[in-house]
Amino acid sequence: MNPPATVYPVKSAFAAETRITRDEYQRLYAQSLQQPDAFWGKVAERLDWMKAPTRIKDTSFELKDFRIRWFDDGELNASVNCLDRHLETRGDKTALIFEPDSPDAPAQRISYRELHERVCKLANALRALGVGKGDRVTIYLPMIPEAAIAMLACARIGAVHMVVFGGFAANSIADRVSDSGSKLIITADEGLRAGRKVALKANVDAALKLPGTNSVETVLVVRHTRAAVDMQMPRDRWYDAVVDDQPVQCEPERMNAEDPLFILYTSGSTGKPKGVLHTTGGYLVYVSYTHEAVFDLREDDVYWCTADVGWVTGHSYIVYGPLANGATALVFEGVPTWPDASRFWQVIDKHRVTIFYTAPTAIRALMREGEGPVQATSRKSLRLLGTVGEPINPEAWRWYYEVVGDSRCPIVDTWWQTENGGILISALPGATDLKPGSATLPFFGVQPAIVDTHGKRIEGEGEGNLVILDSWPGQMRTVYGDHQRFIDTYFRTYPGTYFTGDGCRRDADGYYWITGRVDDVINVSGHRIGTAEVESALVSHDKVAEAAVVGFPHDIKGQGIYAYVTLIAGEQPSEALRAELVKHVRAEIGPIAAPDHLQWAPGLPKTRSGKIMRRILRKIAEAGSSELAPDQLGDTSTLADPSVVDSLVQERRVP
Ligand code: WTA
C-alpha cells in the first residue's frame, strides 16, 4: 500500500478569486456527464462561429457504431478566433513575447494587431503559391514567432499543418512529409539552441532527396541566423521575399467544425509514428476552455509554456489555447541550462511571467544545480505553476513548489496526450487540493476508468490500465490515411473505451496517479519514443543482425533508452562500434532517440515461437548495478534458450 500523501489545500487567494470553485467543479462535472449537449453547447459559445453549431455531441466508441463528431454543423476559422476577434478590444495587447536563445539578443513583443497582419501576409503568400484548403504544409522551424505565424496562416486558408520537431533528422522529416503528402515546407536557414546552430535547411535538403517526398513543390526559408544555405531554385524561396509585399488582410476560409486543423506525428508501440489528426471546432473549444480553467487565466497574465511547438503541448498551450483566449504567451527559443541554470528564472523576472508551465525533466535537471541559481532571482510575479509530459516524482514536485514557487503558487500537474488534444486530468487551482505526484481529478466531460488486463473495471481504490469511457471535444479523429489503425490502436484493446496506453492508480479520494506507459513506448524527457522505431534504426545498420530496445529509470530524463544489440556473424563488438551505432540512431531518427546504453547481446531471450521477451530485458535494464537474483526475472521457463539470460545479466551495462 502507498503511504498517505501530504495534501496541499487550495490556497485562499485562489479560492477567493478563482473562476471555478470546489462546489462549481463538482456541479459542473456532474452536469458535463449528465447533459453533455447542454454543457458543451454553452462552452462552445466562447468561440466566434461563422455558423453556430446546433448539433453538439455525436459520438460512440462502440466498434459497430463508431463515430466521433462534435459541433458538426458549425463553421468557424481557427485563426479568426485566435486573432481577428481580439483586434477591437485587444489590438495593442501583446500576443507573443519572443525571448531568443541568447540573453543578449533583444526580446520582441508582438501585438495582436501585428500578429494578425503577419499571419494574413503569410496566408496570402501561401495562397499565391497554390496552397489551398485541405493541402498539407510541413513546418520545420525553431522556436521563433514564425512557427506560430505559420500554423495560424495555414489555419486561415484551411491548409492542414504538420509540424516536425526541429530535433528530428532528415529521415524522420522524409517519413512525415511522405505520409502526409505535403506540398510545401516552411523552414529556416538554421536554428539556435544554447548557442549552437542546428542545420534546419540542410536537413530539409537531405530529406527531400529521400524517396516519397516529391509532393513538395516549394520550400520557404526564414532568414534566422542569416547563414549561407543552398537555395535550389525554383523550389526554394526566401520567406521574406514572398511575404513582404503581400496585403495585410486575408479572407479566412470557412471551415466546418470537423474539417482537419492539423496532423502531428507521434510514436506508438508498433511501426512508424502515426499522424494524429485533429479537427477544428472541438479542438479549439477544448484547448481554449482547458487553458482558461486549468490555468485560471486572467486578462493581465503573462503565460509561459516552455514546450516546443513541435509537440502537442506547444500546439495546444502555446499557440491555439492562449491565443484563442486573447492571452499573452511567451515563446522561448533557448534551453533551461544555458548560459546557466538561472535562465528560466531570469526570463520569468524579465517578462514578469505569472503562469509557468514546464516538464518534470527540466525541473529535475535544474534541481540538480541546487537552489542558488533560483534564489538569485525574484520570481515574485509568479502565481501558478504547471507540469506536463511525464509523472512528476514527489521530490521534484516539492522542490518546484517550495524553491521555485516559494510555497506561494499551486502546481497543476496536467495529464494528457497528443491524441487527447488538451488536458484530461488536472487540478483546477481554485478547486482542487493537491497531492505531489498526482494529476488529481478529471476535467469536465472526461470519464476515466481503470481496468485490469482482462478489461474488468476496477472500482474505488486500485491500479491498472487507464481508459476513458466517452468522447471529449478535443479528441483526435483519425490516424491520417489509416482509420483502421486508429480504431485498432485505441478502441480494440478494451472494447467500448479509449485505451490510453498508460498505467494508473486511483486512491481513496478518487485521485489519479499516472504510473507511466504500459506499452512499448518510452517517455524520454517527456518525449515519446517507440521502441520499434529505435530497433528499426539499429537494424538498418549493416553490422546489426537484431536489436531489442526497452526503457529504464533515468534520474533526469525519467526514462532512458537501453538497447540490446546482436551483431551479424563475424562482426566483433568494440567501443568504436558502440559509438557508431549510437551515432547512427541519432542520424536516422534524431538526437532524442539516441540510446543511453547499448549492450552487446550474443542472443536475445525469445519464446519458442520467436517472440522477444521484453519483460526480461526490462528487468535487466532496470536493475542497473544492483544485484539481480534469478527469481527477480520472473518466469523464464517458456524461453527457447534460458542460458541467453544468464549471459545478458552478467554482461549488463551499469547505467
Ligand atoms: C505521459 C504530452 C504523468 C503519459 C502532453 C502520456 C504524463 C504521454 C503526464 C503522452 C502527467 C503526459 N503525468 N504522465 N502529467 N503528461 N504524460 O503524447 O505517459 O507527448 O501517455 O503528450 O506522456 O505524451 P504526449
Side-chain angles (χ1 to χ4, degrees):
M1 278 277 59
N2 293 283
T6 324
V7 175
Y8 292 70
V10 172
K11 302 255 174 215
S12 51
F14 273 84
E17 283 182 48
T18 186
R19 291 174 172 276
I20 299 164
T21 63
R22 196 187 301 265
D23 290 348
E24 276 160 353
Y25 168 69
Q26 277 161 5
R27 185 174 58 77
L28 288 170
Y29 183 70
Q31 197 213 351
S32 70
L33 303 195
Q34 284 150 17
Q35 300 165 289
D37 284 355
F39 181 86
W40 289 110
K42 183 94 184 36
V43 173
E45 287 170 11
R46 61 189 294 108
L47 296 188
D48 275 10
W49 297 83
M50 294 161 164
K51 176 169 179 275
T54 64
R55 293 200 295 266
I56 308 300
K57 179 176 188 285
D58 179 17
T59 71
S60 164
F61 288 174
E62 295 301 331
L63 294 183
K64 55 176 185 348
D65 194 23
F66 188 86
R67 62 195 191 280
I68 303 174
R69 288 196 289 265
W70 285 88
F71 314 111
D72 75 348
D73 62 345
E75 288 176 4
L76 75 171
N77 181 286
S79 88
V80 169
N81 276 280
C82 292
L83 302 167
D84 306 50
R85 67 172 177 150
H86 304 312
L87 294 182
E88 205 171 304
T89 51
R90 299 184 176 113
D92 296 320
K93 180 175 176 177
T94 301
L96 298 177
I97 300 174
F98 173 56
E99 172 67 26
D101 182 53
S102 164
D104 301 326
Q108 295 167 28
R109 300 179 81 89
I110 303 174
S111 68
Y112 272 94
R113 196 179 321 285
E114 183 188 347
L115 189 62
H116 175 263
E117 282 185 10
R118 290 172 69 176
V119 168
C120 285
K121 285 171 116 178
L122 177 59
N124 286 325
L126 292 174
R127 273 196 182 135
L129 290 163
V131 179
K133 183 171 178 175
D135 287 338
R136 276 80 60 213
V137 171
T138 295
I139 299 174
Y140 181 65
L141 282 171
M143 279 294 289
I144 56 177
E146 283 81 357
I149 291 169
M151 291 163 74
L152 293 168
C154 289
R156 192 154 194 99
I157 62 169
V160 182
H161 59 72
M162 191 278 283
V163 182
V164 179
F165 172 59
F168 279 124
N171 266 310
S172 299
I173 305 171
D175 283 347
R176 288 161 171 77
V177 163
S178 140
D179 189 75
S180 64
S182 290
K183 203 168 179 180
L184 183 141
I185 301 183
I186 306 176
T187 188
D189 43 13
E190 291 178 327
L192 278 176
R193 270 175 74 79
R196 281 193 305 269
K197 305 206 157 117
V198 187
L200 298 177
K201 173 61 165 64
N203 288 346
V204 169
D205 290 343
L208 293 185
K209 292 203 174 78
L210 296 170
T213 54
N214 48 22
S215 56
V216 176
E217 293 164 10
T218 311
V219 178
L220 288 187
V221 186
V222 176
R223 283 186 227 256
H224 181 46
T225 63
R226 313 195 85 84
V229 292
D230 272 348
M231 293 294 277
Q232 182 186 312
M233 299 305 174
R235 185 194 73 186
D236 300 348
R237 314 278 296 267
W238 290 110
Y239 179 100
D240 46 13
V242 299
V243 164
D244 280 355
D245 295 330
Q246 294 292 338
V248 298
Q249 297 291 337
C250 171
E251 195 54 39
E253 197 74 39
R254 275 177 97 93
M255 303 298 283
N256 179 273
E258 284 297 343
D259 281 338
L261 179 62
F262 66 85
I263 301 169
L264 184 61
Y265 285 80
T266 193
S267 296
S269 301
T270 54
K272 293 204 168 177
K274 301 181 275 285
V276 168
L277 185 127
H278 282 286
T279 56
T280 309
Y283 173 81
L284 204 61
V285 167
Y286 197 75
V287 296
S288 124
Y289 187 44
T290 47
H291 179 256
E292 181 186 273
V294 171
F295 297 106
D296 189 37
L297 189 69
R298 301 180 194 171
E299 190 59 45
D300 53 359
D301 271 320
V302 177
Y303 162 89
W304 181 17
C305 164
T306 68
D308 191 288
V309 287
W311 310 109
V312 74
T313 307
H315 283 60
S316 302
Y317 298 113
I318 296 178
V319 180
Y320 287 110
L323 297 179
N325 290 336
T328 298
L330 194 143
V331 170
F332 177 50
E333 187 185 14
V335 304
T337 46
W338 188 82
D340 59 51
S342 253
R343 187 71 195 279
F344 268 0
W345 326 124
Q346 286 164 358
V347 172
I348 288 173
D349 284 354
K350 177 172 173 188
H351 298 291
R352 293 193 203 85
V353 171
T354 58
I355 304 172
F356 180 66
Y357 188 32
T358 195
T361 188
I363 298 166
R364 286 190 300 262
L366 292 168
M367 190 175 153
R368 197 174 53 171
E369 308 290 326
E371 295 182 15
V374 193
Q375 304 298 5
T377 62
S378 145
R379 290 155 285 105
K380 280 262 168 1
S381 56
L382 285 176
R383 61 180 197 90
L384 179 64
L385 302 172
T387 68
V388 60
E390 45 172 327
I392 181 163
N393 45 312
E395 307 74 64
W397 194 100
R398 271 185 221 103
W399 189 82
Y400 194 31
Y401 182 83
E402 287 163 12
V403 181
V404 176
D406 284 323
S407 303
R408 264 186 313 109
C409 310
I411 298 177
V412 287
D413 174 352
T414 64
W415 174 85
W416 59 294
Q417 313 176 292
T418 305
E419 294 87 339
N420 305 160
I423 296 164
L424 293 196
I425 303 182
S426 170
L428 303 183
T432 321
D433 298 336
L434 308 173
K435 298 185 191 183
S438 170
T440 76
L441 300 172
F443 192 72
F444 303 121
V446 176
Q447 297 183 59
I450 298 177
V451 295
D452 67 16
T453 43
H454 308 292
K456 189 170 162 302
R457 193 83 64 77
I458 295 166
E459 307 291 347
E461 264 180 278
E463 185 166 341
N465 301 312
L466 181 64
V467 300
I468 312 290
L469 299 180
D470 198 359
S471 183
W472 62 97
Q475 182 168 29
M476 73 184 281
R477 300 299 195 259
T478 192
V479 169
Y480 184 73
D482 196 348
H483 195 62
Q484 198 56 46
R485 188 172 174 199
F486 175 55
I487 309 266
D488 292 346
T489 308
Y490 303 104
F491 301 95
R492 220 174 265 289
T493 321
Y494 301 110
T497 73
Y498 164 82
F499 178 41
T500 63
D502 277 338
C504 183
R505 177 167 73 82
R506 185 168 43 221
D507 70 16
D509 296 324
Y511 273 44
Y512 291 87
W513 300 73
I514 308 295
T515 52
R517 300 290 303 195
V518 293
D519 54 6
D520 289 320
V521 172
I522 311 179
N523 191 330
V524 185
S525 303
H527 301 147
R528 279 161 69 166
I529 314 280
T531 52
E533 288 168 71
V534 184
E535 287 163 4
S536 96
L538 283 166
V539 296
S540 74
H541 190 280
D542 57 14
K543 292 182 180 158
V544 174
E546 204 171 21
V549 168
V550 296
F552 72 97
H554 187 287
D555 282 350
I556 305 289
K557 299 181 185 181
Q559 280 191 297
I561 300 177
Y562 198 116
Y564 297 85
V565 171
T566 309
L567 295 174
I568 57 165
E571 286 298 336
Q572 289 310 312
S574 68
E575 283 312 308
L577 182 54
R578 197 196 301 276
E580 185 180 317
L581 293 181
V582 172
K583 206 170 136 209
H584 180 71
V585 177
R586 292 176 74 96
E588 287 289 306
I589 307 177
I592 54 170
D596 299 276
H597 293 289
L598 195 149
Q599 174 172 347
W600 306 116
L604 291 168
K606 288 185 189 162
T607 60
R608 280 175 214 112
S609 60
K611 199 168 168 308
I612 295 176
M613 289 186 74
R614 290 164 186 286
R615 176 174 57 77
I616 294 173
L617 295 176
R618 240 178 257 130
K619 285 271 193 271
I620 298 172
E622 277 164 14
S625 55
S626 44
E627 281 300 308
L628 190 63
D631 61 342
Q632 282 174 273
L633 290 174
D635 183 10
T636 54
S637 63
T638 53
L639 285 176
D641 175 9
S643 72
V644 230
V645 176
D646 300 334
S647 80
L648 289 180
V649 170
Q650 242 124 65
E651 303 275 306
R652 86 197 114 123
R653 300 274 294 169
V654 177

